[in-house]
Each structure stands twice: as C-alpha cells, then as structure tokens.
C-alpha cells in the first residue's frame, strides 16, 4: 500500500510539472508544493518566474537532433539557473531573422545541418550586435578548427552527451547573464 501511494504521489507531481511547462501555469505546481498555501505560492511563483526565463534558440535541419538537444538541456540546465524556453528553427533565414529581433540568450547550432550551423555562427558573430553565445555541435573531432573559425563560444561532439551539453549551455547562460547591461 505504501509503495502504491508513493508512486501515485510521484506521478501526480510529475503531471503537475508537465502542466506547468506545457501551459505556463506556474501556480499549479507551486500551489501543490507550497507549505504556506496556494495564494502565497502563486505570488512567489509569479515573481520568481516572470522575469527569469532564458530563451535558447536551437537550429538543425534534423528534428531528431533538435529533440536530443532539448532533452539534454532539460527545463533547467543547472540548479542555480532559471528555467529555459526553446525556440527551434530548421532554416538559416529564420535563425538570422530571430537573432536580428533579439531576445535570445543562447544559440545551439548543428554543424551538420544544411546550410551549416558553423557558417551561420560566423555570420551571426559578424552581423548581429551583442550576439548571444553559441554552442556548436560537430560530428567529427577534426571539425574543431572549423568551430574555432566560426567563433563558437563552446563546442560539443556527436553523439550528444547530455551532461556535456547541459554543462556547456549552463556555462554559456552564466556568461550571458554576467555580460547583460543593467536596465535603467
């Protein structure tokens, strides 16, 4: 009986997290876990999550690669960082257009996509003012020189190691947060 109750509570907690992320209703998860009550949880969650979302742009022409990146990073790549929101693109013009608009904190580019993510990285570093840090994904170790040429801030290899991807993205997020100018 104890085991069944514990499993049911774990599943319920997981479902609440899914509702929170899928619909952006942070009060549901906070209210379920808050010892102070639902009203206080709603207020504290709204204040903590309203301004603390990191936007990550993921580019690859392969939907499986984009999914692997999303799963490797997760909702929060490190405990000390805010939650992340993903923006996915499969074409180079859409990536450049989004970077021109701004609002992106970290970019993850697939070096094996067509057109290549490393070329997009070089173009973004040349053309985008205050270009966000870029994580390049390369398939061959010998492509490291190309990642250096593209001015990528970090590089991971295929097959993707979820811990390496999460750690690299966490470092890039910290770098981006440290370089942000204060709002006056």
């Amino acid at each position: 009986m104890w085991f069944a109750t514990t499993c049911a509570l774990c599943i319920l907690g997981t479902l609440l997290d899914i509702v929170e992320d899928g619909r952006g209703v942070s009060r549901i998860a906070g209210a379920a876990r808050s010892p102070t009550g639902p009203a206080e949880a709603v207020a504290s969650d709204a204040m903590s999550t309203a301004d603390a979302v990191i936007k990550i742009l993921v580019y690859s022409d392969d939907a499986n690669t984009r999914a692997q990146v999303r799963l490797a990073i997760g909702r929060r790549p490190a405990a000390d960082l805010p939650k992340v929101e993903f923006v996915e693109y499969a074409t180079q013009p859409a990536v450049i257009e989004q970077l021109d608009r701004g609002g992106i904190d970290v970019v993850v580019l697939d070096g094996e996509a067509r057109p290549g993510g490393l070329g997009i990285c070089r173009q973004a570093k040349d053309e985008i003012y205050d270009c966000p840090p870029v994580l390049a994904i390369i398939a061959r170790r010998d492509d490291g020189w190309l990642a250096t040429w593209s001015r990528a801030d970090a590089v991971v290899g295929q097959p993707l190691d979820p811990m390496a991807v999460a750690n690299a993205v966490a470092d890039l997020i910290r770098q981006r947060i440290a370089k942000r100018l204060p709002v006056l």
Side-chain angles (χ1 to χ4, degrees):
M1 182 68 180
W2 173 83
F3 180 77
T5 304
T6 304
C7 288
L9 289 174
C10 290
I11 291 170
L12 179 61
T14 303
L15 289 175
L16 288 175
D17 283 344
I18 291 170
V19 171
E20 175 187 8
D21 290 337
R23 294 187 168 183
V25 184
S26 60
R27 61 178 157 54
I28 292 175
R33 294 189 186 120
S34 174
T36 59
E40 293 81 6
V42 171
S44 67
D45 280 350
M47 293 182 78
S48 66
T49 60
D51 57 355
V53 174
I54 300 295
K55 286 184 95 172
I56 299 177
L57 185 147
V58 180
Y59 165 74
S60 178
D61 60 354
D62 181 11
N64 290 329
T65 301
R66 293 193 308 266
Q68 287 177 4
V69 170
R70 263 193 342 267
L71 289 173
I73 296 170
R75 294 182 304 180
R76 186 176 296 202
D80 63 325
L81 296 174
K83 290 187 178 181
V84 298
E85 178 181 306
F86 294 96
V87 180
E88 297 182 32
Y89 291 105
T91 63
Q92 182 260 352
V95 171
I96 298 300
E97 182 180 322
Q98 177 63 52
L99 290 174
D100 278 336
R101 279 186 295 215
I104 300 296
D105 296 299
V106 174
V107 180
V108 180
L109 300 173
D110 180 7
E112 297 303 306
R114 296 291 172 244
L118 299 177
I120 294 172
C121 179
R122 177 71 179 215
Q123 179 182 358
K125 293 290 186 173
D126 286 342
E127 298 176 3
I128 306 297
Y129 174 74
D130 194 26
C131 183
V134 177
L135 171 65
I137 300 171
I138 59 174
R140 294 168 299 282
R141 188 174 156 195
D142 293 339
D143 286 342
W145 72 271
L146 195 54
T148 301
W149 168 84
S150 72
R151 292 186 275 182
D153 298 284
V155 180
V156 294
Q158 292 262 11
L160 292 178
D161 174 13
M163 290 301 295
V165 173
N167 289 335
V169 168
D171 289 342
L172 293 177
I173 291 171
R174 289 184 192 103
Q175 173 187 340
R176 182 68 170 182
I177 290 172
K179 287 184 178 181
R180 275 192 185 153
L181 296 174
V183 178
L184 300 175

